[in-house]
Amino acid sequence: MTSATGELDAAGIEAGRLRADYLLCRALHARHGRTYFAATRVLPPERRPGIHALYGFARWVDDIVDEPGADTTPDDQRARLDEIGADMDTAFTGGEPREPVLRALAHTVERYGLPSDYFTAFMASMRMDLDTTAYRDLPHLREYMYGSAAVIGLQVLPVLGTSAPREEAAPHAAALGEAFQLTNFLRDVAEDLRRGRVYLPADVLDAHGVDRPLLEHCAVTRRPDPRMRGALAALVEANQEFYREAEPGIAMLSPVARPCVTTAFRLYRAILDEITAADFDVWSVRHRVSDTRKLAVAAPALARALWARTVPRPRAGT
């Protein structure tokens, strides 16, 4: 496997400070996004730093919202998001941002011609997390997921490259971002509840007799309830629909990128298999894909990726 510095060399990132900025993003990715990071290892080395910058930025901002310090108030969090938004605007208008993560992000945005609107939408969703604690239905949740997940899929698309026109691949990339995030919401119900948030659509919960007190009871006792199982089963099926919508887009990616996205697709979708196999118990365990299964999925993908790199092919839409 190519080293962290080898990735930067392959990407032609030579300036010392910028290399350090990218390495910080890579460390954030490796620490917080183990499944995504494992999939990224299948990419050609020169494409990995851009993915690390995008994920590192998203994780860094998300932690400001989800992991505040003991004495941090919502007003403190809003002020910090405002600071980042201003620094981000500086970065996207040709100025020099103060934050290391934003310097790497700005370089990636310029290199791949990413629209600044994607990042504005992301910041808007992060601000929603400070004020919105529940969602009335799936369309309401998707308003949030556009900025927090769909745009992530759209951001990485130019980095991965496409073999079809990018506008054809874009809806599938957005759907994959939503698929991944909804999987997180299903897995992390108890963790989100501790933060005061319920991302599961209220109309689905209501249809199965689930209210907030029942959610809190399940979280405290760490035991499932038949009503909650019914709601989760319905939402797992809704989640599967996002994966079905996303899947055709994999064939539209450049050949060297397909193994990476296929790996992420299979590993994250496998979390739904784990939830279902546990009879929708998301309370007593945090479901994850085992390292053995990751290796079983990633090793063949790596072989396909290495093969794809040896075969010159046109990259229309890159």
Side-chain angles (χ1 to χ4, degrees), residues 82-100:
D82 288 344
E83 287 177 1
I84 291 170
D87 206 21
M88 190 175 73
D89 290 342
T90 297
F92 294 164
T93 54
E96 179 75 8
R98 298 186 303 273
E99 299 284 356

Side-chain angles (χ1 to χ4, degrees), residues 90-228:
T90 297
F92 294 164
T93 54
E96 179 75 8
R98 298 186 303 273
E99 299 284 356
V101 171
L102 288 176
R103 290 195 294 265
L105 178 70
H107 183 266
T108 292
V109 166
E110 182 178 8
R111 180 172 190 167
Y112 293 100
L114 304 179
S116 61
D117 290 353
Y118 291 164
F119 303 92
T120 302
F122 173 78
M123 293 299 290
S125 286
M126 294 302 96
R127 290 185 178 93
M128 283 180 67
D129 269 332
L130 299 179
D131 302 305
T132 305
T133 59
Y135 294 86
R136 59 182 175 271
D137 50 29
L138 188 57
H140 187 204
L141 180 62
R142 291 189 74 180
E143 292 176 20
Y144 169 80
M145 290 203 300
Y146 173 75
S148 63
V151 296
I152 305 298
L154 296 172
Q155 289 167 17
V156 303
L157 193 59
V159 183
L160 298 174
T162 58
S163 59
R166 194 175 295 163
E167 61 271 17
E168 291 184 17
H172 303 291
L176 188 57
E178 291 182 288
F180 287 162
Q181 185 163 68
L182 187 52
T183 300
N184 281 339
F185 291 158
L186 293 171
R187 179 190 62 190
D188 298 334
V189 180
E191 182 178 334
D192 292 330
L193 194 61
R194 285 194 294 272
R195 297 187 176 112
R197 303 186 201 126
V198 178
Y199 290 106
L200 307 185
D203 62 338
V204 177
L205 297 178
D206 291 344
H208 291 84
V210 176
D211 56 16
R212 200 176 189 106
L214 179 60
L215 289 172
E216 292 170 351
H217 174 76
C218 291
V220 169
T221 62
R222 301 185 67 191
R223 297 182 62 182
D225 179 277
R227 290 165 290 180
M228 193 64 210

